[in-house]
Amino acid sequence: MLLSVSDLFKSYRGAEGAIPVINGVSFGVSKAETLALTGESGSGKSTLLHLIGGLDLPDSGVISVDGIDIAQLDDKGRANWRRTVTGVVFQQFNLIPSLDVADNIALQARMAGRQDRDWTAFLSERLGLRDHLRKYPESLSGGQQQRVAIARALAVRPKLVLADEPTGNLDEATADTVMTLMLDLVRETGAALVMVTHSERLAALMERRIHLRAGRLG
Amino acid sequence: MIRAVLGALWSHWRHNRLQLFTLVAGLALATALWSGVQAINSEARSSYAAAARTLGEGQYDQILRADGRPIAVDTYVQLRRAGWKVSPVIDGRVDGIRVIGVEPLTAPRSLGGVELDAFQAVGDSPPIFGQKAALDALGRGGVVRPDLAPDAVVTDISVAADLLAQTDPSRLLVLPDQRADLPEIDSIDNGLTRRVAQSGSDLSRLTDSFHMNLTAFGFLAFAVGLFIVHGAIGLAFEQRRPMVRTLRALGVPLRHLIVLMAAELLLIAVAAGAVGVVLGYFIAASLLPDVAATLRGLYGADVGNSLNLSPVWWVSGMAVSMGGTMVAAAGALWQISRMPLMAAGRRALAVQGRVRRRIEAICALCLLSLAAGLGVWGQGLIAGFGLLAALLIGGALALPPMIDLATKVGQKSAGSALSEWFWADTRQQLPSLSLALMALLLAMAANVGVSTMVSSFRLTFQGFLDQRLAAEGYVYADTEEQAKALQPWLSSRTDAVLPIQKVDIAVRGLPTEVYGPIDHETYRSNWTFLTATPTVWDDLHGGGGVVINEQLSRRSGLALGDVVPVGGRDFVVVGIYGDYGNPIGQAMIDAGDFAVLFPEAVPLRFGIRVADSALPDIFADLQSEFGLPVANMVNQAGIKSFSMGVFDRTFVVTAALNILTLAVAGFAILMSLLTLAGLRVPQLAPVWALGMTRRTLGRLELGRAVLLAVLTALFAVPLGLALAWALLSVVNVEAFGWKLPMFLFPQDYLRLIAQAVIAAMIAAAWPAWKLQRTAPADLLKVFANER
């Protein structure tokens, strides 16, 4: 088992006290497995993904990746873990606007000390970005920007790819293209993929799916 | 990892070069103004220090005659025979150059940087040492010594005696290792007085007020510059928030990120600081001649006209630049350190903004209340500076809520939909422009404050000169004999002669000049008092009264009606007068009382009352009959015009600093508007789409800048006046013991408002022009859906 989540709880403080968002969630993901996290808006999908990615901390429970409980790591340890183990694809792309496409793709791999020019060239080629490497994100379409984000996430050769509504900002045709490319590349790298989506159509492309309802597995 | 992160961070500046330019230019300007003023101050102070070294002040006690005349050679010989280790110095001016003659055999080993052995090294005639300019002016040749005081030369006493036509020593230096059983100097000559070595020179104390004001101005200019830096950093960090989040999400630890962002800013600060120090050098070099002329004219302080670059100055300039950057960036870095990894919603940010503005308004209220409290109850110089700081920071923080209020009123009273939108849009812009407006406020307040202070000083000084130089002419005798011969001659040729006689004694333990004026209408009709009995002159001349200056009153706690012993007799204080710029106490008693108490004092100076037209003939006759040099005869109109000329040089300095500070504030507005220009498009595109032309939008942008400048100016004038009041009535009194009356100069303030409006218009012109030329395609992008 690559990822093991057990008895996870998370709540946020609001004006009316603590608001529970994740209520005792447990599941696992094997190596190279693809998993869709589905649910209604506000069901806790994104929060769960952020917890798995070490972007936020749970109130209680265990998130273990390759035997390491990331909730027990300090800020520096979690940062190192995010840098080297995961690749994240956000709905809003989150590219660095002042870096060109090539630098954006290489950024995480360089930070992790794993830059492999052949691999990034391969990713650029496969994702159709070769002619756009010297362009800045603002001059790309939404679909192109998301492909840059996917390339950046995979350039580090992560064990676990986390994607939060990666096609939420794209039209259906572009979304399908991007999704297919991402799935193909994830499979080629042997990474596991956990993807948040509320699209039944996209969830069906994954090997397994779990559904969240009010912070519980439904 | 560090290289990759630094590369990503730096890419922001590469991509936003205007922002980088704003940051570097703001920092460079702030550093330039600060280090320029500091360079002038340090140059002047090093000149004073050199002068003090050259003249022996500060190092050795000195023996002088109380009446200011030279010490007879016989008296010097008697002192030496009695065992006093003293060394004679002849001191005077030739063609504006101070000539100091020392006696190498008895003088301390080193005086003014000239080793005594050097006096014997050159040929038959002892050499003259000095800076090249001084030696050239003297026209006698000599040995160049750059470390000597400007406009001064040091030479052997025999050469000085020859140059100055004076054989008696002007003063005697008292060497440190004296015997314990020496006779008192009074027993050898009771006209002698001993002045103890001082830790600072007289000049540095006299000019402290001037330098303090310059420093205050430099600091304000620096603060204005820091607003630009703060604005640029704030905007850059705001724009980089998503990048920071992404970098953190990609695995950069927060601490690394903060350290790298701080290091990046420090690198920029070093580069901008270097530019600023070089700019500061040019500012200082261009202002120094006027500052030197002011100091020479006001205080007789010789300051070199050329600027020396010291490593300390470079280092301090860089330190100020780096320190300023860190101060300006502290808030932004702190916010980054507290920023949650996942983005907060728009609503949360809006709430945060509202809370911040509320906190700022509360802080402004607290600081202005503190300033008011310190103004009423504060005591001491620290309270004075606290008042200045509270006033300025409180005023700056109060500006956005005040403008917000004004625009709210404008919006409510708007007659049309367009004007309602204009007011509402102006309010919306306020948070983004508030830093630049605060910079403008501080610049204008500093302008109003400093120009009010300087103009008040000028007006007061003018009145003071009218009072002190009431006689049409002044004549100075060189010797007592000459004075005795002059007085009856002058009486026969003029309407009245006013002998000016003075002794230096201690009153209540404080060094005081005591004068004995005769009873004459000149004093009665011209002299003004801060406070006095209704019959002050009658009380002075017939009733055992004394009038004292403000300095003596404040330092010794003397008030009207108090009894004070002068020269061994009790007098009642019947008047207190302003005596601007005088560092020591002064008192006046009746001429008859003066003659009884100080019979040895002989008046060497005379004021003469005569028709102005008769003065040239009288001066010509004095020259031919008594051989009086031209320098000993002064036309009061000449002195006044010279003194006012000195002030006009001072104005050149303050006017230049005024314009520079205003220019910095204008630059702050320009940069804010330029950086906002891109963000404005999404706000203006809907209005354009609803039917407004781009030209109208551009004009409204210009109008908005003018409106904000006027609102800021209206707030800046009272703040500046409060600043002037604090400087004149609190800080000056605490620091120097005298209070300057404050005058208002409405025309100056109107001109300043006009200048600020013009600066704002110039700053807004380019962004407005850019907006007018925004392509419709760019405006349409706002409505494009990328999905």
Side-chain angles (χ1 to χ4, degrees):
Chain A
M1 191 70 65
L2 176 73
L3 167 69
S4 166
V5 175
S6 66
D7 215 14
L8 204 61
F9 285 87
K10 175 72 182 176
S11 59
Y12 288 110
R13 196 156 294 280
E16 293 158 6
I19 302 164
V21 182
I22 302 292
N23 278 315
V25 171
S26 301
F27 67 94
V29 178
S30 306
K31 283 182 182 169
E33 185 183 6
T34 58
L35 172 79
L37 261 176
T38 59
E40 302 299 318
S41 293
S43 60
K45 311 184 291 290
S46 292
T47 301
L48 182 57
L49 195 80
H50 293 158
L51 292 172
I52 295 168
L55 298 167
D56 204 350
L57 283 172
D59 295 339
S60 64
V62 175
I63 304 164
S64 167
V65 179
D66 246 2
I68 298 168
D69 181 0
I70 57 170
Q72 299 304 313
L73 298 173
D74 60 7
D75 181 63
K76 197 175 170 184
R78 283 200 309 280
N80 181 52
W81 183 85
R82 286 199 299 271
R83 200 162 62 234
T84 53
V85 178
T86 66
V88 188
V89 182
F90 299 95
Q91 181 179 356
Q92 300 292 345
F93 325 133
N94 285 3
L95 301 177
I96 308 285
S98 48
L99 290 179
D100 63 23
V101 168
D103 286 340
N104 262 297
I105 292 173
L107 183 64
Q108 188 177 357
R110 285 178 64 203
M111 290 195 309
R114 287 190 196 160
Q115 192 180 11
D116 179 341
R117 289 179 199 282
D118 294 338
W119 174 235
T120 47
F122 169 76
L123 287 172
S124 306
E125 181 71 38
R126 283 292 304 275
L127 288 158
L129 297 168
R130 205 182 60 182
D131 296 335
H132 305 290
L133 291 175
R134 289 298 146 211
K135 289 182 181 168
Y136 284 88
E138 64 186 7
S139 62
L140 302 181
S141 69
Q144 287 168 330
Q145 287 191 53
Q146 194 58 297
R147 279 184 272 155
V148 177
I150 292 165
R152 179 179 69 187
L154 295 173
V156 75
R157 292 184 188 274
K159 289 180 179 168
L160 179 62
V161 176
L162 302 171
D164 188 2
E165 302 270 14
T167 58
N169 264 357
L170 307 177
D171 61 66
E172 208 164 277
T174 311
D176 285 347
T177 314
V178 167
M179 198 61 218
T180 309
L181 277 168
M182 183 166 76
L183 275 173
D184 287 351
L185 283 167
V186 164
R187 283 178 184 133
E188 283 174 38
T189 56
L193 170 67
V194 178
M195 183 179 77
V196 166
T197 181
H198 55 239
S199 161
E200 292 293 329
R201 191 170 50 80
L202 295 178
L205 299 173
M206 312 296 272
E207 293 164 3
R208 191 157 68 95
R209 69 189 281 187
I210 54 176
H211 190 79
L212 275 180
R213 185 168 293 128
R216 299 174 198 277
L217 290 184
Chain B
M1 180 177 74
I2 289 173
R3 271 188 64 185
V5 176
L6 269 180
L9 289 173
W10 184 249
S11 72
H12 173 83
W13 299 115
R14 264 205 336 260
H15 208 64
N16 297 278
R17 289 186 185 168
L18 183 65
Q19 222 171 66
L20 178 65
F21 173 73
T22 309
L23 178 60
V24 172
L27 205 48
L29 279 173
T31 310
L33 285 169
W34 170 256
S35 62
V37 167
Q38 288 312 307
I40 291 172
N41 281 346
S42 74
E43 184 62 33
R45 291 207 174 100
S46 69
S47 290
Y48 308 150
R53 277 202 312 274
T54 308
L55 309 180
E57 286 171 14
Q59 297 175 70
Y60 306 105
D61 285 10
Q62 297 184 56
I63 293 173
L64 307 104
R65 277 193 66 83
D67 57 13
R69 285 175 294 153
I71 299 166
V73 172
D74 287 349
T75 308
Y76 163 60
V77 172
Q78 281 179 48
L79 281 165
R80 292 287 303 187
R81 282 184 180 153
W84 279 91
K85 289 182 187 170
V86 288
S87 179
V89 175
I90 288 185
D91 190 345
R93 281 188 183 265
V94 176
D95 297 332
I97 301 299
R98 193 155 200 171
V99 176
I100 301 134
V102 296
E103 208 280 298
L105 291 175
T106 55
R109 283 299 301 159
S110 172
L111 200 60
V114 180
E115 290 299 322
L116 294 177
D117 298 343
F119 283 91
Q120 296 143 14
V122 186
D124 300 333
S125 173
I128 302 175
F129 301 95
Q131 291 189 3
K132 190 173 181 311
L135 291 171
D136 290 348
L138 207 58
R140 291 279 298 248
V143 180
V144 175
R145 286 293 175 96
D147 54 340
L148 280 182
D151 297 338
V153 295
V154 177
T155 185
D156 185 274
I157 196 163
S158 61
V159 178
D162 184 34
L163 281 168
L164 295 164
Q166 174 185 330
T167 50
D168 291 335
S170 308
R171 53 202 166 93
L172 304 173
L173 297 180
V174 181
L175 274 62
D177 50 342
Q178 302 287 342
R179 272 184 10 225
D181 58 341
L182 290 172
E184 292 294 321
I185 54 169
D186 293 13
S187 67
I188 293 165
D189 183 338
N190 64 5
L192 296 179
T193 174
R194 181 171 177 169
R195 189 199 290 167
V196 295
Q198 293 153 347
S199 54
S201 70
D202 287 342
L203 281 179
S204 61
R205 273 196 302 280
L206 269 171
T207 53
D208 269 352
S209 170
F210 185 86
H211 291 299
M212 189 189 77
N213 291 327
L214 263 187
T215 304
F217 214 140
F219 184 72
L220 278 173
F222 181 68
V224 169
L226 276 196
F227 271 85
I228 303 178
V229 176
H230 188 275
I233 291 176
L235 187 68
F237 275 45
E238 191 61 41
Q239 289 180 350
R240 287 204 289 190
R241 270 171 183 260
M243 181 202 279
V244 168
R245 285 205 172 91
T246 304
L247 287 172
R248 286 191 63 196
L250 295 180
V252 182
L254 179 63
R255 192 178 291 177
H256 275 60
L257 207 52
I258 300 280
V259 170
L260 288 175
M261 288 176 97
E264 173 204 37
L265 283 178
L266 281 177
L267 274 176
I268 294 172
V270 168
V275 175
V277 172
V278 172
L279 268 177
Y281 175 81
F282 286 112
I283 290 173
S286 62
L287 291 180
L288 191 62
D290 287 315
V291 172
T294 302
L295 290 167
R296 193 174 298 125
L298 275 180
Y299 309 104
D302 288 321
V303 174
N305 275 338
S306 61
L307 201 61
N308 296 311
L309 280 175
S310 82
V312 174
W313 181 58
W314 275 96
V315 171
S316 68
M318 301 300 283
V320 157
S321 169
M322 288 160 73
T325 306
M326 283 300 110
V327 167
L333 286 171
W334 185 79
Q335 276 182 353
I336 291 283
S337 73
R338 308 263 304 168
M339 187 175 77
L341 211 163
M342 303 318 298
R346 269 173 199 279
R347 195 165 164 273
L349 287 175
V351 170
Q352 272 177 17
R354 272 205 301 278
V355 169
R356 199 180 64 225
R357 283 198 289 281
R358 201 165 296 160
I359 291 171
E360 282 174 358
I362 292 168
C363 285
L365 204 63
C366 291
L367 283 168
L368 290 176
S369 307
L370 176 69
L374 285 171
V376 176
W377 296 294
Q379 295 281 324
L381 200 54
I382 292 174
F385 281 114
L387 162 61
L388 285 181
L391 202 57
L392 284 172
I393 301 170
L397 288 176
L399 181 69
M402 298 293 282
I403 295 185
D404 188 55
L405 194 68
T407 49
K408 221 180 244 177
V409 172
Q411 193 180 345
K412 277 196 176 156
S413 58
S416 67
L418 178 63
S419 64
E420 197 178 338
W421 168 80
F422 175 79
W423 286 107
D425 191 51
T426 304
R427 281 185 69 200
Q428 193 196 11
Q429 294 306 301
L430 207 51
S432 314
L433 284 172
S434 59
L435 272 175
L437 293 175
M438 283 184 200
L440 180 67
L441 175 86
L442 283 187
M444 290 187 71
N447 267 305
V448 170
V450 174
S451 62
T452 300
M453 186 183 70
V454 174
S455 299
S456 295
F457 196 11
R458 187 180 200 270
L459 219 57
T460 307
F461 193 65
Q462 207 164 14
F464 176 65
L465 286 180
D466 287 342
Q467 171 182 310
R468 294 299 175 91
L469 301 174
E472 285 74 16
Y474 289 86
V475 176
Y476 307 100
D478 286 326
T479 63
E480 285 182 12
E481 290 70 33
Q482 195 178 44
K484 282 173 184 161
L486 272 174
Q487 194 164 358
W489 188 92
L490 287 170
S491 298
S492 69
R493 295 285 301 270
T494 59
D495 299 336
V497 176
L498 310 172
I500 300 167
Q501 47 194 345
K502 180 194 89 164
V503 291
D504 293 311
I505 61 167
V507 171
R508 284 214 170 166
L510 296 168
T512 306
E513 299 167 332
V514 177
Y515 287 85
I518 61 167
D519 188 0
H520 193 269
E521 188 56 29
T522 304
Y523 298 109
R524 288 179 180 262
S525 54
N526 286 299
W527 210 277
T528 52
F529 292 92
L530 299 174
T531 174
T533 58
T535 52
V536 53
W537 291 107
D538 292 336
D539 295 342
L540 178 77
H541 291 297
V546 59
V547 293
I548 60 173
N549 69 355
E550 189 186 4
Q551 286 82 331
L552 185 59
S553 161
R554 286 188 188 277
R555 288 176 192 157
S556 60
L558 283 170
L560 222 56
D562 287 351
V563 175
V564 57
V566 177
R569 211 171 98 185
D570 284 348
F571 288 85
V572 178
V573 177
V574 293
I576 297 167
Y577 55 90
D579 193 11
Y580 308 106
N582 186 355
I584 64 169
Q586 209 177 72
M588 293 199 300
I589 56 174
D590 174 61
D593 295 333
F594 187 91
V596 172
L597 292 171
F598 311 106
E600 75 287 356
V602 175
L604 291 171
R605 289 186 287 159
F606 303 95
I608 52 174
R609 299 304 312 264
V610 67
D612 283 333
S613 56
L615 269 180
D617 288 344
I618 292 174
F619 285 170
D621 292 347
L622 280 169
Q623 256 184 303
S624 58
E625 289 187 31
F626 293 90
L628 271 190
V630 177
N632 286 27
M633 298 170 290
V634 181
N635 177 336
Q636 56 101 341
I639 298 183
K640 281 182 189 167
S641 75
F642 169 77
S643 303
M644 286 302 124
V646 168
F647 259 102
D648 292 339
R649 298 294 290 265
T650 312
F651 275 115
V652 171
V653 179
T654 48
L657 286 173
N658 272 341
I659 288 170
L660 280 172
T661 320
L662 212 56
V664 172
F667 181 76
I669 296 177
L670 169 69
M671 288 301 141
S672 297
L673 291 174
L674 275 179
T675 44
L676 280 177
L679 308 176
R680 290 286 286 148
V681 173
Q683 293 160 0
L684 295 175
V687 190
W688 168 75
L690 290 175
M692 201 179 292
T693 64
R694 288 173 293 155
R695 178 183 283 260
T696 311
L697 285 173
R699 281 181 186 163
L700 285 174
E701 288 293 287
L702 204 60
R704 188 189 330 278
V706 171
L707 173 79
L708 290 173
V710 169
L711 288 174
T712 306
L714 291 177
F715 193 58
V717 172
L719 183 67
L721 292 178
L723 180 69
W725 177 83
L727 282 169
L728 292 170
S729 306
V730 181
V731 175
N732 219 50
V733 174
E734 296 295 346
F736 310 112
W738 42 274
K739 181 177 177 178
L740 269 171
M742 183 170 149
F743 298 94
L744 299 180
F745 306 89
Q747 279 190 331
D748 288 357
Y749 308 146
L750 282 175
R751 196 176 59 235
L752 182 68
I753 292 174
Q755 283 173 348
V757 168
I758 290 168
M761 278 180 77
I762 292 171
W766 187 17
W769 182 78
K770 273 180 70 174
L771 180 68
Q772 279 191 32
R773 293 178 59 87
T774 305
D778 290 332
L779 290 165
L780 281 170
K781 268 186 193 168
V782 174
F783 309 112
N785 192 338
E786 283 284 274
R787 283 177 73 113

